[in-house]
Amino acid sequence: MKKNIKLYETVAALLEPGKGILAADESDNTAGKRLSMVHLPNEPEHRRDFRELLFTAPDIEKYISGVIMYDSSIRNETRDGIPFVDVLTAKGIVPGIKVDLGTKDLEGFKGEVITQGLDNLEARFAEYYDMGARFAKWRAVITIDEDETPTDAALKMNAIMLARYAQIAQAANIVPIVEPEVIHEGDHSLERAEMVTTRTLQVLFQTLIEYKVDLSGLILKTSMVLAGSTYPEQTTPEEVANATLRTFHMSVPHTCAGIVFLSGGQAPERSTENLNAIAKLGEQPWPITFSFSRAIEEPMLKAWQGKPENEEAAKEALRATCEKNSLASLGKS
Ligand code: 13P
């Protein structure tokens, strides 16, 4: 396999110890859900203000190595006319881009979905690269339900799409983040989540290897292994940490460049505590850090409330949340 040094440079920048990746890649629709938390309508100028707060907050670059953007935000700029990409690059933060186009039902497989977005991906990557993007994200969605869900067939098809996306990204000098999100909602036990996540990651990495994706130029984004959101027994951070690391050791090749976590709808404090417990288990074959969206944005939104007079407080809340997660990624929270 031909080695691509550019990919490794990006990977090294993204996985700098003590830093994580901010997932600010919500679609315009999902950005609307964030805005509704602060009682603002989903209008372009409010989405711009929301994203401007996230990207311009002072000192986040001490804790954040990369930001995943959405198509409309990578093309957008601050109120003063500075492109968001330039704002991030000036801080030494690597701009990234979500390239999947969401999910659709997988015909014949009740409750299972497949991710869209491979059409024209080469051309889209070329344009995003010119705009400054150096890494990308593609999210597959895996739901745990009755005994037979997820099916191996759905896992395999999603893995093939992730592998094809990763091939196209690497050929465009863009580091792929592959994200098979095992959904937290549900009444499944921790053991079931561990079994499903292990199988999901095994199928994914077998497929990535089969299609000759360079694992040293690729980052895995995954869920922590958690009991379902409505499972009656609560689990401790130590139980989550042990189950999560057992899963990785059963399924993630040591050549994979690194692993980052989504927060999956856990409360921000819980996400940070679990990350800290994972880091406390000591050095692993891969760098491991955070790539949260909701768990980073929620405290900032609470402080903002959509009011101009709260903007500085909101930026400080964001900085403080990033710092907490930075410490947790080092097991020092
Ligand atoms: P959450 O941290 O809100 O789960 O989002 C991360 C993400 O990128 C989901 O695709």
Side-chain angles (χ1 to χ4, degrees):
M1 193 189 305
K2 218 172 106 233
K3 297 285 175 195
N4 182 344
I5 301 296
K6 286 188 187 160
L7 296 178
Y8 307 148
E9 286 170 359
T10 302
V11 156
L14 289 173
L15 297 172
E16 195 184 321
K19 292 190 177 181
I21 298 171
L22 168 62
D25 58 333
E26 43 277 281
S27 64
D28 290 349
N29 252 342
T30 307
K33 290 188 199 162
R34 307 282 192 270
L35 291 172
S36 73
M37 292 168 67
V38 295
H39 317 292
L40 286 176
N42 191 6
E43 305 286 348
E45 71 263 32
H46 297 312
R47 289 198 295 272
R48 195 254 340 266
D49 288 349
F50 167 54
R51 289 164 173 159
E52 181 165 343
L53 280 175
L54 289 173
F55 303 154
T56 59
D59 287 341
I60 57 163
E61 63 274 17
K62 291 183 182 163
Y63 317 109
I64 297 292
S65 57
V67 170
I68 317 174
M69 306 173 89
Y70 182 67
D71 183 75
S72 62
S73 55
I74 201 169
R75 299 173 193 281
N76 207 343
E77 54 190 36
T78 63
R79 275 169 275 185
D80 297 338
I82 306 168
F84 284 150
V85 171
D86 293 353
V87 170
L88 295 174
T89 311
K91 285 172 175 279
I93 294 177
V94 185
I97 181 77
K98 168 193 167 84
V99 294
D100 70 74
L101 301 177
T103 59
K104 115 180 225 312
D105 289 347
L106 184 58
E107 290 80 359
F109 292 81
K110 192 168 155 276
E112 295 189 277
V113 294
I114 189 77
T115 304
Q116 310 292 294
L118 286 177
D119 288 351
N120 305 322
L121 194 51
E122 282 99 333
R124 290 169 61 213
F125 271 139
E127 189 191 9
Y128 288 139
Y129 189 94
D130 283 347
M131 290 177 181
R134 292 295 176 269
F135 74 106
K137 178 187 117 173
W138 178 288
R139 173 175 176 260
V141 176
I142 313 297
T143 309
I144 304 179
D145 205 340
E146 309 293 316
D147 279 355
E148 61 274 16
T149 307
T151 59
D152 254 23
L155 292 182
K156 186 72 187 167
M157 189 172 258
N158 273 297
I160 288 176
M161 306 290 255
L162 281 162
R164 181 67 188 131
Y165 140 79
Q167 285 179 327
I168 301 171
Q170 291 188 335
N173 298 319
I174 287 188
V175 169
I177 293 186
V178 294
E179 181 187 21
E181 175 171 355
V182 175
I183 298 293
H184 178 37
E185 276 80 45
D187 59 4
H188 48 273
S189 64
L190 182 72
E191 290 72 24
R192 182 89 204 286
E194 181 174 344
M195 242 169 56
V196 169
T197 311
T198 303
R199 181 78 193 132
T200 300
L201 296 182
Q202 284 175 346
V203 171
L204 173 62
F205 279 99
Q206 276 162 11
T207 309
L208 290 168
I209 290 166
E210 193 178 343
Y211 287 95
K212 302 185 194 302
V213 174
D214 180 3
L215 300 186
S216 335
L218 166 145
I219 294 173
L220 169 68
K221 178 161 178 168
T222 177
S223 327
M224 297 173 185
V225 175
L226 304 168
S229 52
T230 55
Y231 186 69
E233 278 167 48
Q234 268 320 302
T235 39
T236 64
E238 289 67 34
E239 285 170 320
V240 169
N242 282 311
T244 302
L245 285 180
R246 266 199 309 272
T247 297
F248 294 166
H249 283 279
M250 291 296 286
S251 56
V252 184
H254 294 183
T255 44
C256 174
I259 303 175
V260 297
F261 289 113
L262 58 100
S263 57
Q266 303 178 81
E269 304 73 30
R270 191 71 206 235
S271 308
T272 308
E273 276 167 23
N274 286 339
L275 177 66
N276 192 54
I278 290 165
K280 272 196 179 313
L281 291 179
E283 198 162 323
Q284 303 300 327
W286 329 264
I288 299 180
T289 187
F290 61 95
S291 176
F292 303 152
S293 175
R294 284 164 289 180
I296 289 183
E297 292 173 355
E298 279 171 15
M300 177 283 238
L301 286 162
K302 247 188 209 160
W304 180 32
Q305 289 306 316
K307 297 188 174 137
E309 63 271 27
N310 293 340
E311 283 184 0
E312 293 317 306
K315 289 181 185 182
E316 171 48 25
L318 179 70
R319 191 210 58 77
T321 308
C322 293
E323 182 179 17
K324 278 186 206 152
N325 283 301
S326 159
L327 289 169
S329 74
L330 300 168
K332 293 181 179 165
S333 174

